[in-house]
């Protein structure tokens, strides 16, 4: 058994930010989870396991099963998503493939029962009742407020995108054959690949309704980067076998082979997978930062600016001379990396900021402008609000008209992101943020590292620069008064 436990612009923000968020539906009473902070939420999610123990013994290593006999938590989990929610969701315009998949495991193989176009609830319920099909609902946090609330906090906690899928399976049925998951794919391939139940890297499963019988198998590829179906005669006997009930939680690392079915004679099962750390490996980070490191080094080292050998690109095999040269450059880059504090992030920080959930607001929302509309002055004290939703990175100037390509400081935020497109990779997204000259980096770090700071104490040469810095992003900085 797995471990089992019981009980972008030029310093100017583009476009207005609405002062108030649309009012969200009530969550139905106080949450039994601690939603006061990202770390508090995660601690309560895996309770009674301690966070330190989880990351030391289970994260990316082995499954964790937490079974709870907690009626309050079970009731709360049921409220996150129910079979009965599908009727109202379908009336909002859901589509097969994009929002919903219908499938069933038949003789060890997956049979997709999707129709074309818009999902009609009566047809969906007919396939569920008569064909014993599993209904997979993609990214329910787009519509269910409490899942938005949970996943937004988890994105702050992990510093990585957090997606989810709901699976509703009739009694005596199984939706998918044994398989392991890789990473979430976004972009043009998403719609095609969704049929294969792609889940991001590390998976937390919350049982919402009914019971689900699970079988886990030892990975054939540890921390796999590719989705795969696995034949039962190849994977052998289950390493772990158990049944989840409402309020229970299961974690397993990427690459864990698994299959699950709803036992006969019981009600249907509903569970949600909450998954994270897609494209967040050291390999991904190396690919993201290496181009910036080369950019910096080439400005200082003439060898990197010299041309490659003539006709090198026409060679079938890389020459020994080219291999030795590249090896030398890599050693030089490694030496430079040891002494640098500023790694240039090409895409990862920007991608996270532009694709994550916006902050969750209660009631009538939170003001995103400065109190009373008053912009800060030299005698004001400012602080960074929504700190967990703002990232700072240094990178080459992205203005194609600037041939010098000097380094700039970029600040990206998710305050204007659209919840309705979260993790829907085929939907258009845009980045929101600002850019500043590299000379502003120390002042920006002062703001980042202080709970509050006086504008006149910012490390900039002139008062005009200080005033311009704090008035250029009023939705991220709040004015503490004069």
């Amino acid at each position: 058994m797995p471990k089992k436990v019981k009980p972008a612009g030029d310093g100017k923000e583009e476009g207005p930010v609405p002062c108030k968020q649309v009012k969200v539906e009530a969550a139905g009473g106080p949450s039994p989870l601690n939603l006061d902070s990202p770390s508090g939420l995660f601690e309560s999610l895996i309770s009674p396991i301690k966070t330190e123990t989880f990351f030391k013994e289970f994260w990316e290593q082995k499954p964790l099963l937490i079974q709870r006999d907690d009626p309050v938590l079970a009731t709360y989990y049921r409220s996150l998503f129910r079979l009965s929610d599908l009727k109202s969701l379908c009336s909002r315009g859901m589509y097969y493939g994009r929002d919903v998949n219908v499938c069933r495991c038949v003789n060890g193989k997956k049979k997709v029962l999707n129709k074309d176009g818009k999902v009609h609830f009566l047809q969906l319920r007919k396939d569920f009742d008569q064909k014993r099909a599993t209904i997979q609902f993609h990214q329910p946090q787009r519509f269910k407020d409490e899942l938005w609330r949970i996943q937004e906090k988890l994105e702050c906690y992990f510093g990585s995108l957090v997606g989810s899928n709901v699976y509703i399976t009739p009694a005596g049925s199984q939706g998918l054959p044994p398989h392991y998951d890789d990473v979430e794919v976004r972009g043009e391939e998403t719609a095609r690949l969704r049929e294969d139940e792609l889940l991001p890297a590390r998976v937390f499963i919350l049982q919402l309704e009914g019971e689900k019988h699970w079988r886990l198998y030892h990975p054939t590829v540890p921390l796999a980067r590719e989705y795969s179906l696995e034949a039962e005669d190849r994977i052998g006997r289950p390493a772990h076998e158990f049944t989840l009930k409402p309020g229970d939680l299961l974690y397993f690392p990427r690459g864990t082979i698994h299959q699950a079915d709803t036992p006969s004679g019981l009600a249907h099962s509903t569970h949600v997978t909450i998954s994270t750390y897609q494209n967040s490996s050291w390999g991904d980070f190396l690919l993201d930062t290496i181009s910036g490191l080369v950019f910096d080094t080439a400005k200082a080292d003439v060898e990197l600016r010299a041309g490659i050998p003539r006709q090198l690109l026409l060679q079938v095999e890389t020459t020994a001379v080219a291999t030795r040269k590249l090896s030398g450059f890599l050693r030089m880059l490694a030496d430079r990396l040891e002494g640098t504090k500023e790694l240039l992030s090409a895409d990862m920080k920007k991608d996270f900021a532009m694709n994550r959930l916006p902050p969750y607001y209660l009631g009538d929302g939170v003001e995103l402008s400065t109190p009373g509309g008053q912009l800060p002055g030299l005698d004001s004290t400012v602080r960074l609000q929504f700190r967990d939703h703002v990232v700072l990175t240094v990178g080459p100037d992205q203005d194609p008209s600037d041939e010098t390509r000097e380094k700039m400081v970029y600040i990206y935020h998710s305050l204007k992101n659209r919840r309705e497109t979260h993790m829907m990779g085929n939907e258009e997204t845009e980045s929101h943020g600002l850019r500043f000259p590299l000379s502003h980096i120390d002042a920006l770090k002062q703001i980042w590292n202080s709970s509050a700071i006086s504008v006149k104490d910012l490390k900039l040469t002139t008062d005009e620069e200080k005033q311009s810095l704090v008035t250029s992003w009023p939705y991220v900085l709040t004015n503490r008064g004069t």
Side-chain angles (χ1 to χ4, degrees):
M1 290 286 290
K3 173 69 176 183
K4 181 177 177 180
V5 179
K6 286 186 177 289
D10 297 298
K12 296 293 182 183
E13 183 69 68
E14 296 182 359
V17 176
C19 288
K20 294 185 178 181
Q21 187 77 3
V22 176
K23 187 174 182 178
V24 298
E25 63 192 39
S31 169
L33 299 178
N34 179 0
L35 290 157
D36 292 338
S37 67
S39 59
L41 169 60
F42 189 73
E43 288 170 4
S44 63
L45 194 66
I46 63 169
S47 176
I49 293 293
K50 300 298 183 184
T51 302
E52 182 180 355
T53 301
F54 174 79
F55 285 104
K56 182 179 179 180
E57 297 184 11
F58 300 100
W59 179 252
E60 295 190 334
Q61 298 175 62
K62 60 184 179 181
L64 168 66
L65 170 64
I66 300 178
Q67 293 182 307
R68 306 175 172 111
D69 185 15
D70 185 338
V72 174
L73 189 62
T75 299
Y76 173 73
Y77 274 22
R78 290 188 190 100
S79 74
L80 297 178
F81 200 104
R82 300 181 176 93
L83 173 62
S84 58
D85 291 331
L86 290 173
K87 186 174 183 178
S88 61
L89 287 170
C90 287
S91 69
R92 300 175 66 169
M94 302 295 116
Y95 287 84
Y96 286 103
R98 186 192 72 179
D99 303 296
V100 173
N101 274 339
V102 181
C103 60
R104 187 179 179 187
C105 178
V106 179
N107 297 324
K109 295 184 178 181
K110 178 181 175 181
K111 183 177 182 180
V112 178
L113 304 172
N114 284 356
K115 308 296 186 294
D116 293 328
K118 187 177 290 188
V119 178
H120 297 284
F121 175 71
L122 291 179
Q123 179 64 56
L124 192 65
R125 190 63 199 248
K126 181 179 178 182
D127 289 338
F128 182 80
D129 291 333
Q130 297 182 10
K131 296 183 179 180
R132 320 306 295 160
T134 288
I135 299 170
Q136 177 190 12
F137 193 93
H138 301 301
Q139 309 305 339
Q141 70 277 6
R142 295 177 293 150
F143 310 103
K144 299 293 289 182
D145 288 341
E146 198 68 2
L147 284 173
W148 171 22
R149 189 183 184 191
I150 290 171
Q151 289 174 233
E152 180 258 322
K153 282 285 192 297
L154 289 177
E155 286 187 334
C156 294
Y157 182 76
F158 284 105
S160 181
L161 296 177
V162 174
S164 68
N165 283 319
V166 164
Y167 299 89
I168 309 174
T169 303
S173 184
Q174 180 170 334
L176 296 160
H179 64 283
Y180 61 77
D181 307 307
D182 56 348
V183 295
E184 179 75 358
V185 177
R186 302 193 317 280
E188 294 180 358
E189 295 185 347
T190 304
R192 174 177 60 82
L193 291 174
R194 274 208 189 100
E195 292 187 358
D196 288 330
E197 196 221 18
L198 290 181
L199 299 179
R202 288 78 176 166
V203 179
F204 298 88
I205 292 167
L206 281 59
Q207 186 67 25
L208 310 183
E209 294 183 303
E211 298 181 9
K212 201 71 177 279
H213 169 235
W214 284 83
R215 285 167 283 175
L216 307 183
Y217 305 80
H218 291 301
T220 54
V221 180
L223 298 180
R225 291 184 64 92
E226 296 180 353
Y227 174 88
S228 177
L229 295 174
E230 295 286 356
E232 290 203 52
D233 58 358
R234 179 171 179 245
I235 59 179
R237 297 174 60 84
H240 315 293
E241 188 168 2
F242 48 86
T243 297
L244 292 183
K245 298 179 181 180
D248 292 348
L249 178 142
L250 168 66
Y251 161 80
F252 54 77
R254 184 180 72 218
T256 302
I257 302 169
H258 56 277
Q259 61 178 320
D261 62 275
T262 302
S264 299
L266 300 177
H268 67 272
S269 164
T270 303
H271 74 266
V272 61
T273 61
I274 296 177
S275 39
T276 189
Y277 253 60
Q278 61 276 30
N279 299 329
S280 296
S281 68
W282 279 110
D284 295 308
F285 189 62
L286 178 62
L287 288 172
D288 184 61
T289 56
I290 194 70
S291 59
L293 187 61
V294 173
F295 175 85
D296 267 358
T297 308
K299 295 184 74 172
D301 195 296
V302 68
E303 276 196 276
L304 275 174
R305 302 199 301 271
I308 61 176
R310 186 171 54 85
Q311 295 190 338
L312 177 63
L313 301 182
L314 299 177
Q315 302 297 320
V316 176
E317 296 180 349
T318 305
T319 65
V321 172
T323 301
R324 284 197 299 272
K325 198 73 171 178
L326 287 173
S327 298
F329 285 144
L330 288 174
R331 282 188 285 270
M332 178 176 64
L333 291 173
D335 291 340
R336 184 180 180 90
L337 183 61
E338 291 286 343
T340 186
K341 293 182 179 179
E342 300 290 347
L343 281 176
L344 304 190
S345 174
D347 296 305
M348 287 181 73
K349 285 189 174 183
K350 179 180 179 181
D351 180 76
F352 175 47
M354 69 186 291
N355 287 291
R356 63 181 299 192
L357 284 163
Y360 177 87
Y361 304 107
L362 295 174
D364 291 330
V366 177
E367 291 289 341
L368 290 180
S369 59
T370 55
Q374 181 183 7
L375 293 174
L378 280 175
D379 294 324
S380 299
T381 299
V382 296
R383 67 177 179 86
L384 186 66
Q385 64 174 346
F386 304 108
R387 182 183 299 273
D388 289 338
H389 284 266
V390 184
V391 298
L392 182 152
T393 183
V394 176
D397 192 344
Q398 298 172 7
D399 184 352
S401 65
D402 187 352
E403 296 181 359
T404 62
R405 300 279 286 170
E406 294 295 329
K407 285 195 290 185
M408 303 289 290
V409 184
Y410 290 90
I411 293 173
Y412 298 108
H413 65 77
S414 57
L415 305 186
K416 296 183 188 176
N417 287 5
R418 294 177 57 217
R419 167 195 179 189
E420 294 79 11
T421 61
H422 184 242
M423 299 300 287
M424 303 298 288
N426 54 340
E427 302 285 347
E428 291 186 6
T429 56
E430 61 177 316
S431 60
H432 303 291
L434 310 97
R435 70 174 185 175
F436 296 96
L438 191 61
S439 59
H440 285 49
I441 184 68
D442 288 337
L444 289 166
K445 286 182 178 178
Q446 282 180 281
I447 295 172
W448 228 267
N449 296 325
S450 303
S451 57
I453 188 168
S454 173
V455 175
K456 61 186 176 185
D457 291 337
L458 293 175
K459 294 180 180 179
L460 288 169
T461 306
T462 67
D463 289 345
E464 288 77 14
E465 286 180 319
K466 297 174 184 179
Q467 182 97 37
S468 176
L469 173 62
V470 297
T471 57
S472 59
W473 45 331
Y475 309 117
V476 183
L477 287 176
T478 57
N479 180 9
R480 294 287 295 274
T482 57

